[in-house]
Amino acid sequence: YVGEIHTNEKELQDAKIILENHLNFALQYVEEIWEAMGVKDKHIYISRNRTLLLYADLLRRLGDSKEGLNYKFQALDLAESKLLARDIAYVYQDIGLYYHLWVKDYENAIKYYKDAINIFETDLILKKEYLYLITLDGIASSYWFLDQADLGYPYSKKAADISLKRLYGQIDVRQL
């Protein structure tokens, strides 16, 4: 229900109960079973991390953006202590997007988007992630909402350059 557009209040409340039970009880047992079966810790932590992010989005949909943000930060703490750079960048981007779209706090959106960008740009493989382009665009858009489009332009241009290079092979935007 969390990701569906046309969800009524009762369905969201039901989803909240399910996710709370999942976070507080079931996930612990699943993790114990996975450990006994030899599932790598990384997979266990990724599952918990995604559940925290999903629960945060559910709380936002129920009108509690502040509490949702607390769960986003729990996911960030988990990612920074247990997960790989890509997963950490994903959470930073997710928090930036949350600030941008739902809280309308563009300064904080930019901060978290930039934290994600800093991670993406440390690795050539991560720079190829589609999420990198979305994050660049998110920074540009946040600056635009702050009436500082000139500060967002370099990010927008970088995203456009990468997109054009991917689309047309090796054509630089300056060659168009």
Side-chain angles (χ1 to χ4, degrees):
Y1 294 127
V2 177
E4 293 181 15
I5 295 172
H6 304 291
T7 313
N8 66 42
E9 183 75 17
K10 180 175 180 343
E11 290 171 330
L12 290 174
Q13 288 295 339
D14 289 347
K16 182 180 181 201
I17 292 168
I18 292 167
L19 277 174
E20 284 174 347
N21 285 330
H22 185 70
L23 275 171
N24 296 324
F25 305 107
L27 196 57
Q28 177 183 345
Y29 294 116
V30 169
E31 289 171 353
E32 288 174 9
I33 292 168
W34 282 358
E35 284 178 23
M37 292 173 53
V39 174
K40 293 181 181 179
D41 285 347
K42 178 184 125 180
H43 298 294
I44 295 170
Y45 296 133
I46 287 171
S47 175
R48 178 171 287 279
N49 192 268
R50 298 294 156 91
T51 303
L52 289 166
L53 293 172
L54 186 62
Y55 187 64
D57 290 334
L58 174 64
L59 290 173
R60 182 213 28 98
R61 290 200 57 199
L62 288 167
D64 197 350
S65 294
K66 185 176 180 180
E67 185 63 16
L69 202 51
N70 288 334
Y71 279 89
K72 296 280 184 187
F73 289 127
Q74 285 182 38
L76 180 61
D77 290 342
L78 175 62
E80 288 182 326
S81 66
K82 303 288 186 184
L83 297 174
L84 300 174
R86 183 197 183 284
D87 303 304
I88 298 167
Y90 175 86
V91 176
Y92 275 120
Q93 192 278 339
D94 191 74
I95 293 172
L97 186 67
Y98 194 87
Y99 272 118
H100 182 151
L101 294 179
W102 310 115
V103 182
K104 308 295 186 207
D105 180 345
Y106 303 110
E107 290 91 358
N108 270 320
I110 291 166
K111 177 196 177 308
Y112 286 95
Y113 283 145
K114 284 184 176 181
D115 288 339
I117 291 296
N118 288 338
I119 294 170
F120 282 122
E121 291 182 345
T122 62
D123 187 312
L124 291 173
I125 293 173
L126 292 178
K127 284 177 77 170
K128 293 180 180 183
E129 292 274 343
Y130 180 67
L131 194 59
Y132 175 59
L133 294 177
I134 293 171
T135 308
L136 289 168
D137 187 60
I139 293 173
S141 177
S142 293
Y143 276 121
W144 184 83
F145 279 109
L146 293 171
D147 290 324
Q148 298 175 356
D150 56 318
L151 295 176
Y153 175 76
Y155 297 98
S156 185
K157 183 179 181 323
K158 185 183 277 189
D161 285 346
I162 293 168
S163 294
L164 286 170
K165 187 174 181 180
R166 287 180 181 175
L167 185 62
Y168 295 108
Q170 297 299 317
I171 296 176
D172 190 321
V173 73
R174 293 175 298 228
Q175 296 172 338
L176 297 177

